[in-house]
């Protein structure tokens, strides 16, 4: 889960794909389509990253795709922390709890690995260009 919300009547857990109510016999507060943009962004980042792996002969395309993934990850984090969580907090009149929620930190790890990928792709490109100069 990304975050948990505990109020007098509700106990909700926010996932990328769903906002689950942990209290029995409660009606959902938000629509089932409420989190579709988050899910779409994460699927897009995953597909772009998977595609990028197989474009190893076209390093500059790889760099552009990694940067696009990084941008989408920033949009994902912004949506979570500046749109979805404040909206849920306002609706329930409660503060989000991030303890025990590993999902809140995983996008930051993803961004770190995207930065490392970009760095090493650029290093490979620099090495190839220097080898071309020697010929």
């Amino acid at each position: 889960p990304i975050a948990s919300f505990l109020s007098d009547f509700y106990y909700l857990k926010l996932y990328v794909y769903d906002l689950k109510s942990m209290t029995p016999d409660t009606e959902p507060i938000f629509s089932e389509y409420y989190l579709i943009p988050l899910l779409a962004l994460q699927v897009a980042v995953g597909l772009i990253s998977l595609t990028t792996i197989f474009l190893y002969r076209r390093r500059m395309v790889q760099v552009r795709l990694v940067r696009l993934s990084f941008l989408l990850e920033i949009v994902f984090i912004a949506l979570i922390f500046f749109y979805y969580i404040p909206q849920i907090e306002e609706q329930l009149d409660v503060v989000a709890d991030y303890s025990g929620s590993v999902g809140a930190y995983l996008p930051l790890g993803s961004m770190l690995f995207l930065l490392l990928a970009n760095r090493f792709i650029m290093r490979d490109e620099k090495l190839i260009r220097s080898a071309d100069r020697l010929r």
Side-chain angles (χ1 to χ4, degrees):
I2 297 171
S4 300
F5 303 93
L6 181 62
S7 72
D8 295 335
F9 303 107
Y10 292 104
Y11 177 53
L12 301 173
K13 286 193 175 190
L14 176 65
Y15 295 92
V16 172
Y17 57 88
D18 196 12
L19 184 62
K20 288 189 179 180
S21 176
M22 304 312 241
T23 53
D25 300 329
T26 57
E27 292 189 23
I29 297 174
F30 298 98
S31 167
E32 59 190 39
Y33 303 111
Y34 180 64
L35 296 173
I36 294 290
L38 287 181
L39 182 62
L41 278 172
Q42 279 306 100
V43 167
V45 168
L47 288 175
I48 291 171
S49 297
L50 185 66
T51 304
T52 304
I53 292 171
F54 297 107
L55 294 174
Y56 54 88
R57 291 184 185 212
R58 300 174 64 197
R59 283 169 300 283
M60 294 317 290
V61 173
Q62 270 186 325
V63 168
R64 286 190 203 110
L65 288 176
V66 166
R67 289 179 182 167
L68 176 64
S69 293
F70 190 80
L71 176 68
L72 290 177
E73 199 69 38
I74 290 173
V75 170
F76 175 76
I77 291 172
L79 271 177
I80 287 174
F81 292 106
F82 297 119
Y83 179 72
Y84 284 104
I85 289 181
Q87 193 172 29
I88 295 169
E89 287 176 342
E90 180 183 321
Q91 187 77 19
L92 295 177
D93 194 30
V94 69
V95 177
D97 179 28
Y98 300 106
S99 64
S101 300
V102 178
Y105 306 107
L106 288 178
L108 297 174
S110 174
M111 289 177 59
L112 173 70
F113 288 123
L114 287 170
L115 281 173
L116 288 172
N118 189 36
R119 178 178 174 194
F120 287 109
I121 292 168
M122 290 304 291
R123 185 181 287 178
D124 287 347
E125 181 65 22
K126 188 177 176 182
L127 180 68
I128 297 296
R129 287 186 184 183
S130 70
D132 287 344
R133 273 196 310 261
L134 295 175
R135 287 186 203 177

